mmCIF file of all heavy atoms in Angstrom:
data_model
loop_
_atom_site.group_PDB
_atom_site.id
_atom_site.type_symbol
_atom_site.label_atom_id
_atom_site.label_comp_id
_atom_site.label_asym_id
_atom_site.label_seq_id
_atom_site.Cartn_x
_atom_site.Cartn_y
_atom_site.Cartn_z
ATOM 1 N N PHE A 1 109.451 112.457 69.835
ATOM 2 C CA PHE A 1 108.298 113.144 70.418
ATOM 3 C C PHE A 1 108.732 114.181 71.449
ATOM 4 O O PHE A 1 108.161 115.277 71.522
ATOM 5 C CB PHE A 1 107.339 112.144 71.063
ATOM 6 C CG PHE A 1 106.413 111.466 70.092
ATOM 7 C CD1 PHE A 1 106.670 110.180 69.649
ATOM 8 C CD2 PHE A 1 105.287 112.113 69.619
ATOM 9 C CE1 PHE A 1 105.820 109.546 68.748
ATOM 10 C CE2 PHE A 1 104.425 111.499 68.718
ATOM 11 C CZ PHE A 1 104.694 110.210 68.275
ATOM 12 N N ASP A 2 109.727 113.846 72.244
ATOM 13 C CA ASP A 2 110.186 114.767 73.284
ATOM 14 C C ASP A 2 110.783 116.030 72.677
ATOM 15 O O ASP A 2 110.561 117.137 73.177
ATOM 16 C CB ASP A 2 111.226 114.064 74.167
ATOM 17 C CG ASP A 2 111.460 114.796 75.479
ATOM 18 O OD1 ASP A 2 110.474 115.178 76.139
ATOM 19 O OD2 ASP A 2 112.631 115.007 75.840
ATOM 20 N N ALA A 3 111.520 115.867 71.573
ATOM 21 C CA ALA A 3 112.100 117.023 70.889
ATOM 22 C C ALA A 3 110.993 117.903 70.305
ATOM 23 O O ALA A 3 111.062 119.143 70.378
ATOM 24 C CB ALA A 3 113.040 116.559 69.780
ATOM 25 N N ALA A 4 109.953 117.270 69.745
ATOM 26 C CA ALA A 4 108.832 118.030 69.174
ATOM 27 C C ALA A 4 108.078 118.787 70.258
ATOM 28 O O ALA A 4 107.727 119.969 70.084
ATOM 29 C CB ALA A 4 107.885 117.072 68.446
ATOM 30 N N TYR A 5 107.857 118.114 71.369
ATOM 31 C CA TYR A 5 107.115 118.713 72.489
ATOM 32 C C TYR A 5 107.900 119.872 73.096
ATOM 33 O O TYR A 5 107.339 120.927 73.409
ATOM 34 C CB TYR A 5 106.862 117.638 73.543
ATOM 35 C CG TYR A 5 105.884 118.026 74.635
ATOM 36 C CD1 TYR A 5 104.514 118.015 74.391
ATOM 37 C CD2 TYR A 5 106.325 118.367 75.911
ATOM 38 C CE1 TYR A 5 103.613 118.346 75.391
ATOM 39 C CE2 TYR A 5 105.431 118.693 76.908
ATOM 40 C CZ TYR A 5 104.072 118.682 76.649
ATOM 41 O OH TYR A 5 103.178 119.012 77.639
ATOM 42 N N THR A 6 109.183 119.686 73.235
ATOM 43 C CA THR A 6 110.045 120.715 73.817
ATOM 44 C C THR A 6 110.188 121.916 72.880
ATOM 45 O O THR A 6 110.211 123.063 73.332
ATOM 46 C CB THR A 6 111.444 120.138 74.123
ATOM 47 O OG1 THR A 6 111.303 118.994 74.980
ATOM 48 C CG2 THR A 6 112.325 121.168 74.816
ATOM 49 N N ALA A 7 110.267 121.647 71.568
ATOM 50 C CA ALA A 7 110.470 122.719 70.583
ATOM 51 C C ALA A 7 109.272 123.653 70.503
ATOM 52 O O ALA A 7 109.425 124.864 70.382
ATOM 53 C CB ALA A 7 110.755 122.112 69.211
ATOM 54 N N ASP A 8 108.063 123.093 70.578
ATOM 55 C CA ASP A 8 106.865 123.936 70.427
ATOM 56 C C ASP A 8 105.667 123.255 71.088
ATOM 57 O O ASP A 8 104.793 122.703 70.424
ATOM 58 C CB ASP A 8 106.590 124.188 68.942
ATOM 59 C CG ASP A 8 105.479 125.194 68.697
ATOM 60 O OD1 ASP A 8 105.034 125.829 69.664
ATOM 61 O OD2 ASP A 8 105.060 125.333 67.532
ATOM 62 N N LYS A 9 105.658 123.325 72.404
ATOM 63 C CA LYS A 9 104.593 122.685 73.188
ATOM 64 C C LYS A 9 103.216 123.250 72.852
ATOM 65 O O LYS A 9 102.220 122.531 72.858
ATOM 66 C CB LYS A 9 104.897 122.880 74.682
ATOM 67 C CG LYS A 9 103.881 122.284 75.622
ATOM 68 C CD LYS A 9 104.305 122.524 77.065
ATOM 69 C CE LYS A 9 103.268 122.039 78.063
ATOM 70 N NZ LYS A 9 103.697 122.284 79.454
ATOM 71 N N LYS A 10 103.173 124.534 72.540
ATOM 72 C CA LYS A 10 101.889 125.205 72.300
ATOM 73 C C LYS A 10 101.115 124.565 71.154
ATOM 74 O O LYS A 10 99.890 124.414 71.229
ATOM 75 C CB LYS A 10 102.124 126.688 72.015
ATOM 76 C CG LYS A 10 100.833 127.483 71.860
ATOM 77 C CD LYS A 10 101.115 128.960 71.645
ATOM 78 C CE LYS A 10 99.806 129.740 71.486
ATOM 79 N NZ LYS A 10 100.067 131.185 71.251
ATOM 80 N N THR A 11 101.806 124.208 70.065
ATOM 81 C CA THR A 11 101.096 123.646 68.905
ATOM 82 C C THR A 11 101.171 122.127 68.836
ATOM 83 O O THR A 11 100.696 121.521 67.877
ATOM 84 C CB THR A 11 101.644 124.252 67.592
ATOM 85 O OG1 THR A 11 103.004 123.847 67.401
ATOM 86 C CG2 THR A 11 101.558 125.762 67.609
ATOM 87 N N PHE A 12 101.759 121.506 69.841
ATOM 88 C CA PHE A 12 101.760 120.042 69.947
ATOM 89 C C PHE A 12 100.445 119.678 70.641
ATOM 90 O O PHE A 12 100.397 119.505 71.845
ATOM 91 C CB PHE A 12 102.958 119.583 70.776
ATOM 92 C CG PHE A 12 103.192 118.081 70.781
ATOM 93 C CD1 PHE A 12 104.423 117.557 70.403
ATOM 94 C CD2 PHE A 12 102.209 117.196 71.179
ATOM 95 C CE1 PHE A 12 104.669 116.195 70.427
ATOM 96 C CE2 PHE A 12 102.431 115.829 71.207
ATOM 97 C CZ PHE A 12 103.665 115.332 70.828
ATOM 98 N N THR A 13 99.379 119.587 69.860
ATOM 99 C CA THR A 13 98.041 119.462 70.455
ATOM 100 C C THR A 13 97.297 118.196 70.056
ATOM 101 O O THR A 13 96.205 117.949 70.570
ATOM 102 C CB THR A 13 97.166 120.663 70.061
ATOM 103 O OG1 THR A 13 97.073 120.729 68.629
ATOM 104 C CG2 THR A 13 97.754 121.963 70.583
ATOM 105 N N ASP A 14 97.843 117.406 69.149
ATOM 106 C CA ASP A 14 97.112 116.234 68.679
ATOM 107 C C ASP A 14 96.931 115.221 69.811
ATOM 108 O O ASP A 14 97.920 114.753 70.391
ATOM 109 C CB ASP A 14 97.872 115.577 67.525
ATOM 110 C CG ASP A 14 97.134 114.367 66.985
ATOM 111 O OD1 ASP A 14 96.032 114.537 66.454
ATOM 112 O OD2 ASP A 14 97.663 113.235 67.119
ATOM 113 N N PRO A 15 95.685 114.866 70.146
ATOM 114 C CA PRO A 15 95.439 113.936 71.263
ATOM 115 C C PRO A 15 96.146 112.589 71.093
ATOM 116 O O PRO A 15 96.715 112.057 72.045
ATOM 117 C CB PRO A 15 93.912 113.758 71.254
ATOM 118 C CG PRO A 15 93.393 114.991 70.593
ATOM 119 C CD PRO A 15 94.412 115.348 69.563
ATOM 120 N N LYS A 16 96.112 112.066 69.869
ATOM 121 C CA LYS A 16 96.744 110.762 69.606
ATOM 122 C C LYS A 16 98.246 110.821 69.861
ATOM 123 O O LYS A 16 98.823 109.913 70.468
ATOM 124 C CB LYS A 16 96.465 110.345 68.160
ATOM 125 C CG LYS A 16 96.980 108.960 67.801
ATOM 126 C CD LYS A 16 96.609 108.607 66.375
ATOM 127 C CE LYS A 16 97.101 107.213 65.995
ATOM 128 N NZ LYS A 16 96.733 106.883 64.595
ATOM 129 N N SER A 17 98.878 111.906 69.419
ATOM 130 C CA SER A 17 100.328 112.041 69.607
ATOM 131 C C SER A 17 100.691 112.247 71.068
ATOM 132 O O SER A 17 101.717 111.749 71.534
ATOM 133 C CB SER A 17 100.860 113.202 68.762
ATOM 134 O OG SER A 17 100.773 112.889 67.389
ATOM 135 N N LEU A 18 99.853 112.980 71.805
ATOM 136 C CA LEU A 18 100.097 113.165 73.239
ATOM 137 C C LEU A 18 100.053 111.830 73.969
ATOM 138 O O LEU A 18 100.880 111.551 74.844
ATOM 139 C CB LEU A 18 99.069 114.134 73.835
ATOM 140 C CG LEU A 18 99.294 115.611 73.527
ATOM 141 C CD1 LEU A 18 98.053 116.428 73.878
ATOM 142 C CD2 LEU A 18 100.507 116.145 74.276
ATOM 143 N N LEU A 19 99.084 110.991 73.591
ATOM 144 C CA LEU A 19 98.973 109.670 74.222
ATOM 145 C C LEU A 19 100.156 108.778 73.835
ATOM 146 O O LEU A 19 100.715 108.084 74.687
ATOM 147 C CB LEU A 19 97.654 109.006 73.810
ATOM 148 C CG LEU A 19 97.371 107.630 74.423
ATOM 149 C CD1 LEU A 19 97.376 107.699 75.951
ATOM 150 C CD2 LEU A 19 96.039 107.079 73.926
ATOM 151 N N THR A 20 100.538 108.817 72.562
ATOM 152 C CA THR A 20 101.690 108.027 72.109
ATOM 153 C C THR A 20 102.948 108.442 72.869
ATOM 154 O O THR A 20 103.737 107.596 73.307
ATOM 155 C CB THR A 20 101.916 108.220 70.599
ATOM 156 O OG1 THR A 20 100.735 107.852 69.887
ATOM 157 C CG2 THR A 20 103.080 107.356 70.114
ATOM 158 N N TYR A 21 103.124 109.734 72.998
ATOM 159 C CA TYR A 21 104.273 110.301 73.717
ATOM 160 C C TYR A 21 104.351 109.743 75.139
ATOM 161 O O TYR A 21 105.405 109.259 75.581
ATOM 162 C CB TYR A 21 104.107 111.817 73.727
ATOM 163 C CG TYR A 21 105.178 112.638 74.412
ATOM 164 C CD1 TYR A 21 106.507 112.233 74.449
ATOM 165 C CD2 TYR A 21 104.844 113.860 74.988
ATOM 166 C CE1 TYR A 21 107.474 113.022 75.050
ATOM 167 C CE2 TYR A 21 105.803 114.661 75.594
ATOM 168 C CZ TYR A 21 107.120 114.228 75.626
ATOM 169 O OH TYR A 21 108.067 115.016 76.223
ATOM 170 N N PHE A 22 103.219 109.747 75.847
ATOM 171 C CA PHE A 22 103.222 109.244 77.223
ATOM 172 C C PHE A 22 103.383 107.721 77.258
ATOM 173 O O PHE A 22 104.085 107.187 78.127
ATOM 174 C CB PHE A 22 101.951 109.659 77.960
ATOM 175 C CG PHE A 22 101.947 109.207 79.387
ATOM 176 C CD1 PHE A 22 102.811 109.774 80.313
ATOM 177 C CD2 PHE A 22 101.098 108.190 79.810
ATOM 178 C CE1 PHE A 22 102.838 109.334 81.638
ATOM 179 C CE2 PHE A 22 101.119 107.750 81.127
ATOM 180 C CZ PHE A 22 101.989 108.334 82.043
ATOM 181 N N ASN A 23 102.755 107.025 76.327
ATOM 182 C CA ASN A 23 102.880 105.565 76.287
ATOM 183 C C ASN A 23 104.335 105.135 76.108
ATOM 184 O O ASN A 23 104.782 104.133 76.676
ATOM 185 C CB ASN A 23 102.032 104.992 75.147
ATOM 186 C CG ASN A 23 100.551 104.967 75.485
ATOM 187 O OD1 ASN A 23 100.172 105.164 76.638
ATOM 188 N ND2 ASN A 23 99.718 104.746 74.489
ATOM 189 N N LEU A 24 105.078 105.890 75.310
ATOM 190 C CA LEU A 24 106.496 105.593 75.105
ATOM 191 C C LEU A 24 107.284 105.785 76.403
ATOM 192 O O LEU A 24 108.191 105.004 76.716
ATOM 193 C CB LEU A 24 107.064 106.476 73.996
ATOM 194 C CG LEU A 24 106.574 106.135 72.578
ATOM 195 C CD1 LEU A 24 106.911 107.270 71.612
ATOM 196 C CD2 LEU A 24 107.188 104.822 72.092
ATOM 197 N N MET A 25 106.931 106.834 77.161
ATOM 198 C CA MET A 25 107.562 107.052 78.465
ATOM 199 C C MET A 25 107.300 105.865 79.394
ATOM 200 O O MET A 25 108.205 105.384 80.095
ATOM 201 C CB MET A 25 107.037 108.345 79.087
ATOM 202 C CG MET A 25 107.343 108.511 80.572
ATOM 203 S SD MET A 25 109.109 108.484 80.980
ATOM 204 C CE MET A 25 109.544 110.198 80.720
ATOM 205 N N VAL A 26 106.061 105.356 79.396
ATOM 206 C CA VAL A 26 105.706 104.215 80.240
ATOM 207 C C VAL A 26 106.529 102.984 79.849
ATOM 208 O O VAL A 26 107.038 102.257 80.709
ATOM 209 C CB VAL A 26 104.195 103.905 80.139
ATOM 210 C CG1 VAL A 26 103.857 102.589 80.848
ATOM 211 C CG2 VAL A 26 103.375 105.041 80.743
ATOM 212 N N LYS A 27 106.695 102.764 78.551
ATOM 213 C CA LYS A 27 107.492 101.627 78.082
ATOM 214 C C LYS A 27 108.944 101.739 78.540
ATOM 215 O O LYS A 27 109.558 100.753 78.960
ATOM 216 C CB LYS A 27 107.424 101.530 76.558
ATOM 217 C CG LYS A 27 106.092 101.024 76.020
ATOM 218 C CD LYS A 27 106.124 100.894 74.508
ATOM 219 C CE LYS A 27 104.793 100.363 73.989
ATOM 220 N NZ LYS A 27 104.800 100.216 72.511
ATOM 221 N N LEU A 28 109.466 102.953 78.467
ATOM 222 C CA LEU A 28 110.852 103.167 78.903
ATOM 223 C C LEU A 28 110.983 102.980 80.415
ATOM 224 O O LEU A 28 111.993 102.453 80.895
ATOM 225 C CB LEU A 28 111.323 104.567 78.494
ATOM 226 C CG LEU A 28 111.497 104.788 76.985
ATOM 227 C CD1 LEU A 28 111.847 106.239 76.691
ATOM 228 C CD2 LEU A 28 112.571 103.862 76.419
ATOM 229 N N TYR A 29 109.959 103.394 81.149
ATOM 230 C CA TYR A 29 109.959 103.197 82.612
ATOM 231 C C TYR A 29 109.919 101.699 82.938
ATOM 232 O O TYR A 29 110.679 101.222 83.798
ATOM 233 C CB TYR A 29 108.756 103.900 83.233
ATOM 234 C CG TYR A 29 108.520 103.537 84.681
ATOM 235 C CD1 TYR A 29 109.294 104.094 85.701
ATOM 236 C CD2 TYR A 29 107.528 102.610 85.027
ATOM 237 C CE1 TYR A 29 109.084 103.740 87.028
ATOM 238 C CE2 TYR A 29 107.313 102.259 86.355
ATOM 239 C CZ TYR A 29 108.093 102.823 87.351
ATOM 240 O OH TYR A 29 107.882 102.469 88.663
ATOM 241 N N ASP A 30 109.048 100.973 82.239
ATOM 242 C CA ASP A 30 108.933 99.533 82.485
ATOM 243 C C ASP A 30 110.225 98.789 82.146
ATOM 244 O O ASP A 30 110.543 97.756 82.734
ATOM 245 C CB ASP A 30 107.773 98.950 81.671
ATOM 246 C CG ASP A 30 106.408 99.377 82.216
ATOM 247 O OD1 ASP A 30 106.361 99.879 83.356
ATOM 248 O OD2 ASP A 30 105.406 99.216 81.488
ATOM 249 N N LYS A 31 110.989 99.311 81.191
ATOM 250 C CA LYS A 31 112.276 98.706 80.807
ATOM 251 C C LYS A 31 113.386 99.091 81.780
ATOM 252 O O LYS A 31 114.483 98.528 81.738
ATOM 253 C CB LYS A 31 112.679 99.183 79.406
ATOM 254 C CG LYS A 31 111.946 98.500 78.266
ATOM 255 C CD LYS A 31 112.283 99.174 76.935
ATOM 256 C CE LYS A 31 113.774 99.112 76.655
ATOM 257 N NZ LYS A 31 114.120 99.804 75.378
ATOM 258 N N GLY A 32 113.118 100.092 82.622
ATOM 259 C CA GLY A 32 114.137 100.554 83.549
ATOM 260 C C GLY A 32 114.990 101.681 82.989
ATOM 261 O O GLY A 32 115.971 102.099 83.607
ATOM 262 N N ASP A 33 114.582 102.214 81.816
ATOM 263 C CA ASP A 33 115.342 103.298 81.189
ATOM 264 C C ASP A 33 114.933 104.678 81.697
ATOM 265 O O ASP A 33 115.624 105.663 81.436
ATOM 266 C CB ASP A 33 115.174 103.259 79.665
ATOM 267 C CG ASP A 33 115.850 102.042 79.047
ATOM 268 O OD1 ASP A 33 116.685 101.423 79.734
ATOM 269 O OD2 ASP A 33 115.548 101.705 77.889
ATOM 270 N N LYS A 34 113.800 104.768 82.358
ATOM 271 C CA LYS A 34 113.336 106.030 82.938
ATOM 272 C C LYS A 34 112.962 105.796 84.397
ATOM 273 O O LYS A 34 112.458 104.722 84.764
ATOM 274 C CB LYS A 34 112.107 106.568 82.187
ATOM 275 C CG LYS A 34 112.385 106.989 80.742
ATOM 276 C CD LYS A 34 113.223 108.256 80.669
ATOM 277 C CE LYS A 34 113.450 108.687 79.228
ATOM 278 N NZ LYS A 34 114.306 109.890 79.130
ATOM 279 N N SER A 35 113.195 106.799 85.233
ATOM 280 C CA SER A 35 112.904 106.679 86.666
ATOM 281 C C SER A 35 111.432 106.978 86.948
ATOM 282 O O SER A 35 110.718 107.541 86.116
ATOM 283 C CB SER A 35 113.775 107.668 87.449
ATOM 284 O OG SER A 35 113.390 109.010 87.131
ATOM 285 N N ALA A 36 111.008 106.602 88.162
ATOM 286 C CA ALA A 36 109.628 106.898 88.582
ATOM 287 C C ALA A 36 109.387 108.403 88.587
ATOM 288 O O ALA A 36 108.315 108.877 88.199
ATOM 289 C CB ALA A 36 109.371 106.311 89.962
ATOM 290 N N LYS A 37 110.395 109.143 89.000
ATOM 291 C CA LYS A 37 110.282 110.604 89.032
ATOM 292 C C LYS A 37 110.034 111.154 87.634
ATOM 293 O O LYS A 37 109.156 112.016 87.437
ATOM 294 C CB LYS A 37 111.565 111.203 89.606
ATOM 295 C CG LYS A 37 111.553 112.713 89.732
ATOM 296 C CD LYS A 37 112.856 113.198 90.362
ATOM 297 C CE LYS A 37 112.869 114.716 90.497
ATOM 298 N NZ LYS A 37 114.131 115.196 91.136
ATOM 299 N N GLU A 38 110.762 110.644 86.648
ATOM 300 C CA GLU A 38 110.577 111.094 85.265
ATOM 301 C C GLU A 38 109.193 110.707 84.755
ATOM 302 O O GLU A 38 108.543 111.490 84.039
ATOM 303 C CB GLU A 38 111.663 110.483 84.373
ATOM 304 C CG GLU A 38 113.054 111.066 84.602
ATOM 305 C CD GLU A 38 114.116 110.339 83.802
ATOM 306 O OE1 GLU A 38 114.206 109.095 83.924
ATOM 307 O OE2 GLU A 38 114.862 111.009 83.071
ATOM 308 N N LEU A 39 108.735 109.514 85.114
ATOM 309 C CA LEU A 39 107.418 109.049 84.688
ATOM 310 C C LEU A 39 106.316 109.948 85.238
ATOM 311 O O LEU A 39 105.441 110.405 84.495
ATOM 312 C CB LEU A 39 107.191 107.604 85.155
ATOM 313 C CG LEU A 39 105.791 107.035 84.907
ATOM 314 C CD1 LEU A 39 105.522 106.882 83.422
ATOM 315 C CD2 LEU A 39 105.621 105.690 85.617
ATOM 316 N N PHE A 40 106.354 110.215 86.540
ATOM 317 C CA PHE A 40 105.302 111.030 87.155
ATOM 318 C C PHE A 40 105.337 112.473 86.657
ATOM 319 O O PHE A 40 104.294 113.100 86.447
ATOM 320 C CB PHE A 40 105.424 110.997 88.686
ATOM 321 C CG PHE A 40 105.312 109.605 89.272
ATOM 322 C CD1 PHE A 40 105.998 109.259 90.426
ATOM 323 C CD2 PHE A 40 104.531 108.634 88.657
ATOM 324 C CE1 PHE A 40 105.906 107.977 90.961
ATOM 325 C CE2 PHE A 40 104.430 107.356 89.182
ATOM 326 C CZ PHE A 40 105.120 107.021 90.337
ATOM 327 N N ASN A 41 106.544 112.998 86.466
ATOM 328 C CA ASN A 41 106.662 114.363 85.947
ATOM 329 C C ASN A 41 106.082 114.474 84.537
ATOM 330 O O ASN A 41 105.419 115.451 84.197
ATOM 331 C CB ASN A 41 108.120 114.824 85.934
ATOM 332 C CG ASN A 41 108.620 115.207 87.309
ATOM 333 O OD1 ASN A 41 107.830 115.417 88.233
ATOM 334 N ND2 ASN A 41 109.929 115.290 87.476
ATOM 335 N N LYS A 42 106.332 113.451 83.725
ATOM 336 C CA LYS A 42 105.818 113.481 82.353
ATOM 337 C C LYS A 42 104.299 113.319 82.356
ATOM 338 O O LYS A 42 103.604 113.963 81.549
ATOM 339 C CB LYS A 42 106.473 112.377 81.509
ATOM 340 C CG LYS A 42 106.120 112.426 80.028
ATOM 341 C CD LYS A 42 106.359 113.801 79.423
ATOM 342 C CE LYS A 42 107.789 114.262 79.537
ATOM 343 N NZ LYS A 42 107.958 115.652 79.014
ATOM 344 N N TYR A 43 103.791 112.495 83.256
ATOM 345 C CA TYR A 43 102.331 112.369 83.375
ATOM 346 C C TYR A 43 101.716 113.726 83.705
ATOM 347 O O TYR A 43 100.746 114.162 83.070
ATOM 348 C CB TYR A 43 101.958 111.355 84.460
ATOM 349 C CG TYR A 43 100.463 111.340 84.734
ATOM 350 C CD1 TYR A 43 99.614 110.508 84.010
ATOM 351 C CD2 TYR A 43 99.898 112.189 85.682
ATOM 352 C CE1 TYR A 43 98.238 110.518 84.232
ATOM 353 C CE2 TYR A 43 98.534 112.214 85.907
ATOM 354 C CZ TYR A 43 97.715 111.378 85.184
ATOM 355 O OH TYR A 43 96.361 111.401 85.395
ATOM 356 N N ASP A 44 102.260 114.386 84.712
ATOM 357 C CA ASP A 44 101.724 115.685 85.122
ATOM 358 C C ASP A 44 101.812 116.706 83.988
ATOM 359 O O ASP A 44 100.895 117.493 83.766
ATOM 360 C CB ASP A 44 102.478 116.208 86.348
ATOM 361 C CG ASP A 44 102.178 115.408 87.605
ATOM 362 O OD1 ASP A 44 101.050 114.901 87.721
ATOM 363 O OD2 ASP A 44 103.070 115.272 88.460
ATOM 364 N N ASP A 45 102.915 116.670 83.285
ATOM 365 C CA ASP A 45 103.137 117.616 82.190
ATOM 366 C C ASP A 45 102.096 117.420 81.086
ATOM 367 O O ASP A 45 101.461 118.378 80.627
ATOM 368 C CB ASP A 45 104.549 117.413 81.625
ATOM 369 C CG ASP A 45 105.007 118.598 80.791
ATOM 370 O OD1 ASP A 45 104.449 119.690 80.963
ATOM 371 O OD2 ASP A 45 105.921 118.430 79.973
ATOM 372 N N VAL A 46 101.908 116.178 80.662
ATOM 373 C CA VAL A 46 100.951 115.881 79.591
ATOM 374 C C VAL A 46 99.514 116.118 80.066
ATOM 375 O O VAL A 46 98.685 116.660 79.326
ATOM 376 C CB VAL A 46 101.134 114.439 79.073
ATOM 377 C CG1 VAL A 46 100.046 114.083 78.059
ATOM 378 C CG2 VAL A 46 102.505 114.264 78.433
ATOM 379 N N ALA A 47 99.214 115.729 81.314
ATOM 380 C CA ALA A 47 97.869 115.937 81.860
ATOM 381 C C ALA A 47 97.519 117.426 81.915
ATOM 382 O O ALA A 47 96.387 117.829 81.618
ATOM 383 C CB ALA A 47 97.771 115.319 83.250
ATOM 384 N N GLU A 48 98.492 118.252 82.292
ATOM 385 C CA GLU A 48 98.263 119.698 82.345
ATOM 386 C C GLU A 48 98.075 120.277 80.941
ATOM 387 O O GLU A 48 97.274 121.199 80.742
ATOM 388 C CB GLU A 48 99.429 120.385 83.064
ATOM 389 C CG GLU A 48 99.418 120.142 84.567
ATOM 390 C CD GLU A 48 100.711 120.549 85.254
ATOM 391 O OE1 GLU A 48 101.552 121.212 84.599
ATOM 392 O OE2 GLU A 48 100.889 120.208 86.442
#
């Protein structure tokens, strides 16, 4: 998902995929694989 979003953010518009993308980030954060900073930045990015 991150590669798809980075490659062409403009046409990555599907609501379901945007939510899946963020949910995966949350799972990685909960596992300790992503930092709080990365989590909040990704939230802001997807929310915007």
Side-chain angles (χ1 to χ4, degrees):
F1 279 101
D2 196 47
Y5 191 78
T6 304
D8 187 9
K9 180 179 176 180
K10 184 177 180 181
T11 66
F12 189 125
T13 58
D14 181 64
K16 184 178 181 180
S17 292
L18 284 167
L19 182 58
T20 302
Y21 180 31
F22 182 69
N23 284 348
L24 289 166
M25 166 59 86
V26 171
K27 287 183 179 180
L28 291 175
Y29 169 78
D30 288 346
K31 282 172 60 182
D33 292 344
K34 294 289 182 182
S35 67
K37 182 178 180 179
E38 289 174 306
L39 174 67
F40 300 148
N41 283 344
K42 187 52 59 184
Y43 172 89
D44 290 328
D45 197 21
V46 174
E48 287 167 11

